[in-house]
Amino acid sequence: MRELAFDTIVARLMDFRFPEVDLVVGIETGGIVGASLVAYKLGRALTSIGVHYRDEMNQPEFETPKLTRSLSLHPRAKRILLVDDVAVTGQTLSLAKDSISGAEVITFVLKGKADYVLFPEIPECVHWPWKNLKQKKGEVFRLRPLPR
């Protein structure tokens, strides 16, 4: 499993050329941190959509992902950036994307397959720094503000 430092992720995000969008939507729960960082960088509103598929050990709990909370869009949201942490099969992204109507949906993941991918060169599993914030004794976890 590959470890990525928070600073490495933020630096890559700051250099990334995102498409022009009206709204950023994070897929709960894995896509929330990435979507928050992207929305902050783009200066766009952030919301989320609920999809449940894997447990905390990253094992599928269902045969296919389940929509747990849909999304109501503002009429002015014509281009949406749908964000998740990882897309391997694309089932979660597809379910979330198909549930959003009335807008163009562009997909973005930190790793895997989507319209835009932050770390396309990483094939192996990644341990995201925010995934398990349970600290070991004496360990410090710091998140620095995003540079402007």
Side-chain angles (χ1 to χ4, degrees):
M1 182 171 290
R2 184 156 177 181
E3 300 248 352
L4 282 176
F6 187 75
D7 290 346
T8 301
I9 297 164
V10 170
R12 179 77 65 100
L13 275 169
M14 290 299 107
D15 290 340
F16 198 84
R17 299 193 85 154
F18 287 94
E20 198 55 43
V21 296
D22 304 310
L23 177 68
V24 177
V25 177
I27 296 178
E28 298 169 0
T29 59
I32 297 300
V33 172
S36 299
L37 294 170
V38 171
Y40 180 83
K41 177 191 170 163
L42 297 177
R44 296 292 180 255
L46 169 69
T47 191
S48 64
I49 188 169
V51 179
H52 188 73
Y53 182 45
R54 295 180 179 272
D55 63 18
E56 288 184 18
M57 299 305 295
N58 204 30
Q59 298 303 310
E61 289 191 279
F62 309 104
E63 198 170 305
T64 60
K66 308 286 182 206
L67 190 67
T68 59
R69 194 172 55 74
S70 60
L71 181 65
S72 294
L73 290 180
H74 188 282
R76 289 193 200 133
K78 298 297 181 199
R79 293 192 83 204
I80 294 170
L81 187 65
L82 181 62
V83 180
D84 206 356
D85 55 353
V86 177
V88 177
T89 66
Q91 291 183 78
T92 300
L93 278 177
S94 290
L95 175 64
K97 185 176 180 176
D98 292 346
S99 75
I100 300 170
S101 60
E104 177 187 359
V105 179
I106 302 158
T107 59
F108 172 79
V109 295
L110 302 181
K111 180 190 111 52
K113 298 175 185 172
D115 298 324
Y116 293 87
V117 182
L118 189 64
F119 292 99
E121 75 280 8
I122 298 178
E124 67 269 24
C125 290
V126 172
H127 181 268
W128 305 109
W130 52 82
K131 195 67 167 177
N132 195 354
L133 294 180
K134 295 175 186 164
Q135 296 175 337
K136 297 175 187 167
K137 189 174 182 178
E139 185 178 49
V140 177
F141 186 82
R142 282 187 214 120
L143 301 181
R144 292 189 205 128
L146 293 172
R148 278 287 188 180

